Amino acid sequence: MSLKQKAFGAAKWTSFSAVATSLMQLLQIVVLSRFIDKADFGLMAVALFVIGLSQIFMDMGISNAIIHNQKVTKAQINTLFWLNIFAGVAIYVTLYISTPFIADFYHSPELVSIIRWTSATYLIIPFGQQFETLLVKELNFKSLSIRDVIGKTSGFFASVLLAFLHYGIYALVYANLIQALVSTLLLIVYGLRIFRPRLDFDWHSLKSEGFFSFGLFQMGEKTVNYFNSQFDTLLIGKLLGMEALGIYNIAKTLAFRPYQIINPIVTKVAFPVLAKIQDDIEKLRRAYIQILRLLTYANAPIYAAMILLAKPLIILFFGEAWTESIPFLQILAVTALCNSIGNPVGALLLARGRADWGFYWNVGMLAFMPLCIWIGSFWGLEGVAWGLTLFKVAVMLPAWGLFVYPLCKAKFLEYFGSIGKPILLAAISFAAAYFLSPTVSNNYFALGIGLLILGSVYVIIGMLATNDRERASLMHFFVNKGQAGPES
């Protein structure tokens, strides 16, 4: 099968998986918000923060090196398979021992049991991680998508059932374990078709061929980036309490969900495809700009609608009890849009083998972003949200100058023009919906009318503002052997 066919099929399956699993996760939160109180959502946010941080150390960042390196031996893959399992056990033991200190830090003794149970996933996930990496390398996203959907569905039904049985916060904890078990079993079933682990080790070649250096920079970059992305969770839980964290985290989850659905459809495929054209800078530039343009056209109107319709969205999804989350949803929608624009640069960095650049960038971010969030915390939750948002807007220009231009030679006007037009169209649509939408008390009508006006205006002016060539080029990347289409 050609790269063209693989890339197109991969995009199709990642689209299905991203939409299905993200909607399932959102529905899970919507249902559980009726059964679990705000403080419990805050506790789970802290537990998932700890678990997510630990997951970065699972394979020392080497899995992505397998995708980047086009020639990998079976001995190297075997070595990494057993490394994953060893690291998983080590992480579980470390977390088990350290949870009392984490609970003391947050003054929440309930965290001991929650984190210990949740961290048991590290005794499960490593057995499937190397299979997942190999499936990604081969662009076999059909198997991965089926795994994702079945795993998330099992977790969803388990959490809802346990919530009805009054398990409280443990409905989420046990559902997380069930989801990990089902997903890993499916990865093993699919993965054994292409790789069967053996006790065959080759540490020397991993070191001599740069796997460890690539992986360590990748691991360092992910660790620092994770602290950057979750520092608000860390700070709010400590300074403002678990209930405040629960209110904030509901808004953050809803705000971040759209780009977490949309971006992986493109970026999961983009990394292995861009890696295959990494030496042709012209193709790489055109491909990257089209990826960025496509994602911004998709995300910008969604976030315009989220800012405009935050009140009916919160009430309809989570109920009247969560109306305190409304202003945070509006602010964090801007943060999420910035994230959606900056997110594809990760695929570009990895495709060019420059995980070290990402590490240095995130170290720099770690020096400034927590400071902005901490200063904002003096004005409460809204201050935290504004501090995070203003910082994300401010770093867009340096990110282009330090990464995008050096790696693919996309010029200033080309880069910002590719994101500026869809954002401007979304802003015009927002203004039209704001002034044309009638005032109604029914939240369903308010949401429906607002979406209809904003969406209609965006489509109409979008058609007028773009030509046939530009519209055709948006999807050309994935149907022409990873090459960019004609530029507008």
Side-chain angles (χ1 to χ4, degrees), residues 153-222:
T153 302
S154 65
F156 168 74
F157 283 111
S159 65
V160 172
L161 176 62
L162 292 170
F164 272 107
L165 295 175
H166 307 292
Y167 273 73
I169 186 64
Y170 286 92
L172 282 171
V173 173
Y174 297 146
N176 195 45
L177 284 170
I178 292 170
Q179 178 180 314
L181 180 61
V182 172
S183 296
T184 300
L185 287 174
L186 288 171
L187 279 174
I188 293 172
V189 170
Y190 289 125
L192 286 175
R193 299 173 185 175
I194 57 175
F195 165 67
R196 291 185 176 273
R198 294 182 300 175
L199 292 174
D200 183 11
F201 302 99
D202 188 2
W203 296 101
H204 176 73
S205 70
L206 289 179
K207 183 177 180 180
S208 62
E209 294 181 23
F211 279 81
F212 285 117
S213 60
F214 183 99
L216 287 173
F217 274 113
Q218 172 83 129
M219 184 175 67
E221 183 265 335
K222 283 186 175 182

Side-chain angles (χ1 to χ4, degrees), residues 285 288-289 292-293 341 393-406 408-421:
R285 178 190 65 80
Y288 185 76
I289 289 298
L292 193 63
R293 184 186 295 125
I341 293 169
V393 173
V395 298
M396 291 179 69
L397 179 59
W400 163 79
L402 292 172
F403 299 129
V404 179
Y405 182 75
C408 70
K409 302 304 178 186
K411 296 180 180 179
F412 178 88
L413 290 179
E414 183 181 31
Y415 178 81
F416 284 98
S418 68
I419 63 177
K421 182 187 284 187

Side-chain angles (χ1 to χ4, degrees), residues 172-367:
L172 282 171
V173 173
Y174 297 146
N176 195 45
L177 284 170
I178 292 170
Q179 178 180 314
L181 180 61
V182 172
S183 296
T184 300
L185 287 174
L186 288 171
L187 279 174
I188 293 172
V189 170
Y190 289 125
L192 286 175
R193 299 173 185 175
I194 57 175
F195 165 67
R196 291 185 176 273
R198 294 182 300 175
L199 292 174
D200 183 11
F201 302 99
D202 188 2
W203 296 101
H204 176 73
S205 70
L206 289 179
K207 183 177 180 180
S208 62
E209 294 181 23
F211 279 81
F212 285 117
S213 60
F214 183 99
L216 287 173
F217 274 113
Q218 172 83 129
M219 184 175 67
E221 183 265 335
K222 283 186 175 182
T223 302
V224 179
N225 184 49
Y226 189 77
F227 269 107
N228 285 334
S229 66
Q230 298 296 328
F231 192 81
D232 50 351
T233 298
L234 184 68
L235 188 68
I236 292 169
K238 175 63 176 176
L239 298 182
L240 302 176
M242 290 301 159
E243 183 170 331
L245 178 57
I247 293 168
Y248 180 89
N249 206 56
I250 281 288
K252 185 178 180 181
T253 298
L254 185 56
F256 284 26
R257 187 62 64 198
Y259 91 84
Q260 290 172 343
I261 294 175
I262 293 169
N263 278 44
I265 294 172
V266 178
T267 56
K268 277 187 178 181
V269 183
F271 171 30
V273 173
L274 291 177
K276 294 179 187 297
I277 59 172
Q278 60 184 286
D279 296 322
D280 190 327
I281 299 300
E282 177 61 19
K283 286 182 181 178
L284 198 63
R285 178 190 65 80
R286 295 173 64 193
Y288 185 76
I289 289 298
Q290 288 190 27
I291 290 170
L292 193 63
R293 184 186 295 125
L294 173 63
L295 290 175
T296 311
Y297 267 113
N299 284 307
I302 294 173
Y303 286 110
M306 188 173 286
I307 295 169
L308 179 68
L309 303 167
K311 181 179 178 181
L313 279 172
I314 288 290
I315 293 174
L316 291 177
F317 275 115
F318 306 113
E320 296 279 353
W322 293 90
T323 53
E324 292 170 279
S325 297
I326 292 171
F328 311 119
L329 177 60
Q330 293 173 311
I331 300 167
L332 293 172
V334 180
T335 306
L337 179 59
C338 293
N339 285 350
S340 73
I341 293 169
N343 171 259
V345 78
L348 182 62
L349 284 166
L350 294 177
R352 293 297 307 276
R354 298 317 308 246
D356 54 336
W357 287 17
F359 171 70
Y360 295 135
W361 167 260
N362 281 294
V363 168
M365 293 267 284
L366 189 60

